[in-house]
């Protein structure tokens, strides 16, 4: 089967998918911790020096910023969970495809970070299309030949 893709196809390695699951969540946790620490420090300074209004203003600013960040975090919680779940599903697809093709999971890359109907797998044995069953719980690999495989870029490749 021939597959004609976009002019530039980007594939993602297993390590790239696995690392991208945690990177942004760690950054958010670090930002929240820094704001909480700033809020606590300025609140303590304000309680020690009640007549110095700059600490009161700074603690109010950090408190407002903390509430704003926590509100956004709560709002994005379901989106983050969904993204982690879908990225985890793709790493599972890569692991299962590696078993089916009898290659290492590090030698496989996929052209999507979330499961969809047009997932392609690039391995040392060629290109394969992932064909899911109706409920998406199982898949089969169908070998395909790319019309133009010269425009393939692999993210996370060493």
């Amino acid at each position: 089967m021939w597959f004609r893709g976009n002019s530039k196809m980007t594939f993602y390695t297993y390590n790239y998918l696995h690392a991208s699951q945690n990177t942004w969540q760690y950054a958010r946790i670090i930002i929240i911790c820094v704001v909480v620490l700033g809020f606590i420090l300025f609140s303590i300074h304000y309680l020690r020096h009640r007549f110095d209004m700059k600490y009161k203003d700074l603690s109010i600013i950090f408190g407002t910023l903390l509430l704003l960040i926590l509100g956004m975090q709560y709002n994005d919680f379901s989106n983050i969970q969904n993204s982690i779940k879908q990225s985890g599903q793709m790493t599972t697809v890569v692991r299962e495809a590696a078993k089916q093709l009898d290659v290492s999971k590090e030698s496989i890359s996929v052209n999507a970070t979330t499961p969809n109907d047009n997932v392609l797998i690039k391995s040392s044995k060629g290109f394969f299309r992932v064909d899911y069953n109706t409920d998406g719980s199982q898949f089969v690999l169908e070998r395909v030949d790319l019309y133009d495989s010269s425009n393939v870029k692999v993210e996370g490749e060493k």
Side-chain angles (χ1 to χ4, degrees):
M1 171 178 230
W2 287 90
F3 187 82
R4 183 185 297 257
N6 298 341
S7 61
K8 185 78 165 176
M9 292 187 74
T10 304
F11 284 79
Y12 305 96
T13 63
Y14 175 81
N15 293 331
Y16 180 87
L17 290 171
H18 193 64
S20 68
Q21 290 178 19
N22 301 322
T23 305
W24 180 238
Q25 287 77 10
Y26 289 137
R28 284 185 175 201
I29 290 170
I30 290 170
I31 290 170
I32 289 173
C33 289
V34 167
V35 172
V36 166
L37 186 64
F39 176 71
I40 290 171
L41 288 176
F42 288 124
S43 296
I44 290 172
H45 278 293
Y46 169 67
L47 291 175
R48 285 189 180 171
H49 310 285
R50 289 197 186 264
F51 298 112
D52 197 352
M53 288 296 143
K54 71 178 177 184
Y55 294 120
K56 177 183 177 184
D57 293 342
L58 286 172
S59 64
I60 289 172
I61 289 169
F62 270 82
T64 305
L65 186 61
L66 179 63
L67 289 175
L68 179 67
I69 290 173
L70 288 176
M72 288 185 329
Q73 184 74 9
Y74 177 76
N75 189 32
D76 290 343
F77 183 72
S78 64
N79 294 337
I80 291 169
Q81 291 299 322
N82 192 27
S83 173
I84 290 171
K85 183 176 122 185
Q86 288 180 342
S87 184
Q89 288 173 342
M90 286 309 294
T91 56
T92 302
V93 167
V94 170
R95 282 194 304 268
E96 292 300 316
K99 284 181 191 174
Q100 287 183 22
L101 296 173
D102 196 27
V103 295
S104 72
K105 62 187 175 206
E106 286 79 15
S107 68
I108 290 183
S109 54
V110 292
N111 71 333
T113 56
T114 59
N116 60 49
D117 292 337
N118 297 319
V119 175
L120 292 178
I121 291 180
K122 177 184 179 283
S123 75
S124 57
K125 295 186 176 184
F127 291 92
F128 296 88
R129 185 172 64 93
V130 178
D131 200 8
Y132 293 100
N133 65 352
T134 54
D135 65 353
S137 62
Q138 299 289 323
F139 65 89
V140 295
L141 297 176
E142 180 182 4
R143 185 168 174 79
V144 295
D145 294 313
L146 293 183
Y147 180 72
D148 184 13
S149 62
S150 63
N151 288 330
V152 172
K153 176 184 169 193
V154 179
E155 288 286 334
E157 199 171 51
K158 294 178 182 174

